[in-house]
Amino acid sequence: MKVLVNSILGLVCLFFYLGGSAWGGQSVTPHTVFKGSTTQTGQSIEYPTDGPAQITSILLEFEPGSDLGWHKHLAPTHIYVIEGTVTVEFSDGRQEGFEAGNGFLPVMNVWHDARNLGSGPARALVVITGAKGKAGIVFRDAR
């Protein structure tokens, strides 16, 4: 029994040692781009419970002057702006811009649009943490 316990402790220590050196190694520097538990308007994040979890990643590319279309998020979503500025517009005309290098959690269950109001391209990574077989984003007008 003592040998088994020592073996497990040794493996745990090895795991932390290797994990620590891989994460904190000389060639890897982690940078937190976003950490939060509320959307851009202060809504608390609640994960779907109506099916097995599924994560979907989408790369959006916006030409200058283009927009995604009016939509709403039905599942918690994280957006990381890679290039340019993505501007979120609400039906009341309010706008909020997010520049390259910034991440945010967009509002849920509220119609809004995402636009590139700049003169150059914009790109963003969208990560939806939803449920398998369920839409994470719906559009007001099908394109």
Side-chain angles (χ1 to χ4, degrees):
M1 180 70 168
K2 185 176 180 180
V3 172
L4 178 61
V5 170
N6 286 338
S7 296
I8 291 172
L9 286 174
L11 287 173
V12 169
C13 290
L14 181 62
F15 172 78
F16 282 113
Y17 172 76
L18 291 176
S21 63
W23 186 259
Q26 296 298 316
S27 61
V28 177
T29 305
H31 297 279
T32 301
V33 296
F34 179 83
K35 188 176 195 177
S37 58
T38 59
T39 68
Q40 67 188 105
T41 60
Q43 296 169 308
S44 293
I45 296 300
E46 294 182 25
Y47 293 106
T49 58
D50 57 346
Q54 178 173 286
I55 295 176
T56 304
S57 297
I58 302 166
L59 179 62
L60 292 179
E61 298 181 352
F62 294 87
E63 292 300 319
S66 68
D67 71 297
L68 183 59
W70 290 92
H71 64 283
K72 62 182 174 179
H73 302 268
L74 304 179
T77 302
H78 175 258
I79 299 176
Y80 177 71
V81 182
I82 299 167
E83 179 182 7
T85 300
V86 173
T87 301
V88 177
E89 181 180 346
F90 297 92
S91 57
D92 64 2
R94 189 171 41 96
Q95 296 181 346
E96 187 173 0
F98 298 91
E99 296 179 354
N102 290 300
F104 67 100
L105 301 175
V107 65
M108 290 182 56
N109 296 308
V110 173
W111 293 110
H112 61 282
D113 196 1
R115 303 176 179 276
N116 177 3
L117 302 177
S119 59
R123 292 187 312 140
L125 177 65
V126 178
V127 180
I128 304 163
T129 57
K132 188 174 183 178
K134 306 287 183 177
I137 298 175
V138 293
F139 290 85
R140 183 183 290 170
D141 301 313
R143 292 184 174 208

